[in-house]
Amino acid sequence: GRSVMLSLCGLFFGPFSAVIAAILAFIYRLYIGGAGVVMGVSVIISATLIGIFFNYIRKKKEIRVSSLFLYGMGLLVHTVMIGLMIWLPSNVRLDTLKTISITVIGIYPLATILIGKILSDQEEKNKLIEEITQNEKNTSTTLMSIGDAVIATDLDGKITRMNRMAEKITSWTLNEAYGLPLHLVFSIFNSDTHEPHNDPVQTVLKSKETVGLSNHTLLINRNGEEFHVSDSAAPILDENGNVMGVFLVFSNV
């Protein structure tokens, strides 16, 4: 198993991690000793170097880690391993070759594929998480930089995002408002009659279209302060055109 794991360590985690793993394996193999110590140490070194080489090729040419790629590396590692049996004592070399050569060439490359695909899937998952996290940061930065007030809600009309301007006008922070129904934070009325306005989120969710607020819209914030506001509410759509929530943009006029 050392040859499989050391080559995969070099492939997925790079030279530094592979060298540390190789040193530990090297020391342990010397401790075990025996007639095969020279071959064992040679396999440790060769498997590590081949893994590091494939890591270099992968990054340089931006190659995706496919089953074929893993099999090619595994086959090379264990073909070299067979060749290194020359370091075994002559009285056991032939018997050892007959005993393990089919397993080394036939099974070990397949084991490399199996374990390599697990590591590859984990790597892809981590990359996806990093991309989502970065996109989230970029979205938050953009949202906070917008001069108008912005509030986003989910399909139930509950607040999921607010920028600083929205916090300033409504006197609610995002931490306080998160998960609350929009109408509790964004309380709007007709400026002439003081009759409550319809919830723009519900209007958008029904029509699935952008709607503008009335020119006579009055927002009364948490502290009882009044602001004349204008602008619009629009649906947030996914790639298939399904509504995921509502994006409300307004400004103090």
Side-chain angles (χ1 to χ4, degrees):
R2 284 192 300 264
S3 56
V4 174
M5 299 308 297
L6 287 171
S7 61
L8 288 172
C9 183
L11 174 63
F12 284 100
F13 305 110
F16 186 74
S17 296
V19 168
I20 292 175
I23 290 172
L24 294 173
F26 187 93
I27 293 171
Y28 183 66
R29 188 64 190 85
L30 289 177
Y31 172 76
I32 293 174
V37 67
V38 176
M39 177 198 164
V41 167
S42 300
V43 169
I44 288 170
I45 295 172
S46 64
T48 303
L49 291 177
I50 291 171
I52 292 172
F53 173 73
F54 271 75
N55 174 272
Y56 170 77
I57 294 296
R58 172 195 176 195
K59 289 185 176 180
K60 184 177 179 62
K61 297 187 176 182
E62 297 181 351
I63 298 174
R64 182 177 175 274
V65 180
S66 63
S67 296
L68 183 62
F69 185 83
L70 290 166
Y71 183 77
M73 185 185 76
L75 187 62
L76 178 59
V77 167
H78 296 99
T79 300
V80 171
M81 185 183 196
I82 293 294
L84 290 173
M85 288 185 182
I86 193 173
W87 294 109
L88 289 173
S90 57
N91 61 321
V92 297
R93 188 182 305 147
L94 187 59
D95 286 341
T96 303
L97 186 62
K98 289 179 180 179
T99 303
I100 71 170
S101 59
I102 294 177
T103 302
V104 168
I105 294 297
I107 303 300
Y108 284 16
L110 298 179
T112 302
I113 294 175
L114 178 63
I115 301 172
K117 290 300 289 182
I118 294 172
L119 291 171
S120 178
D121 290 344
Q122 185 65 35
E123 186 178 69
E124 290 295 324
K125 180 181 177 181
N126 290 339
K127 285 183 179 178
L128 182 60
I129 291 172
E130 288 176 6
E131 289 177 6
I132 292 172
T133 302
Q134 187 59 48
N135 288 339
E136 179 75 14
K137 289 180 180 178
N138 292 341
T139 301
S140 296
T141 300
T142 302
L143 186 67
M144 290 300 178
S145 301
I146 295 174
D148 289 334
V150 177
I151 299 177
T153 75
D154 59 18
L155 277 173
D156 296 323
K158 295 180 179 179
I159 294 172
T160 57
R161 290 181 180 276
M162 291 176 67
N163 68 355
R164 293 189 184 93
M165 186 57 68
E167 290 179 334
K168 181 178 179 180
I169 293 177
T170 64
S171 292
W172 287 81
T173 66
L174 175 58
N175 288 337
E176 294 170 332
Y178 186 86
L180 294 179
L182 178 69
H183 67 85
L184 294 180
V185 176
F186 188 70
S187 302
I188 52 175
F189 304 83
N190 184 290
S191 60
D192 295 329
T193 65
H194 275 66
E195 289 292 323
H197 267 310
N198 291 332
D199 186 344
V201 169
Q202 300 306 318
T203 303
V204 170
L205 291 177
K206 289 178 182 178
S207 66
K208 297 184 179 180
E209 296 179 352
T210 300
V211 298
L213 300 178
S214 165
N215 291 330
H216 303 285
T217 300
L218 184 70
L219 183 149
I220 301 178
N221 72 10
R222 190 181 190 182
N223 298 326
E225 298 171 310
E226 298 183 355
F227 298 89
H228 290 273
V229 295
S230 69
D231 236 337
S232 60
I236 302 172
L237 305 176
D238 64 15
E239 59 211 24
N240 297 317
N242 300 314
V243 179
M244 299 172 58
V246 175
F247 203 64
L248 182 68
V249 183
F250 59 98
S251 57
N252 175 19
V253 296

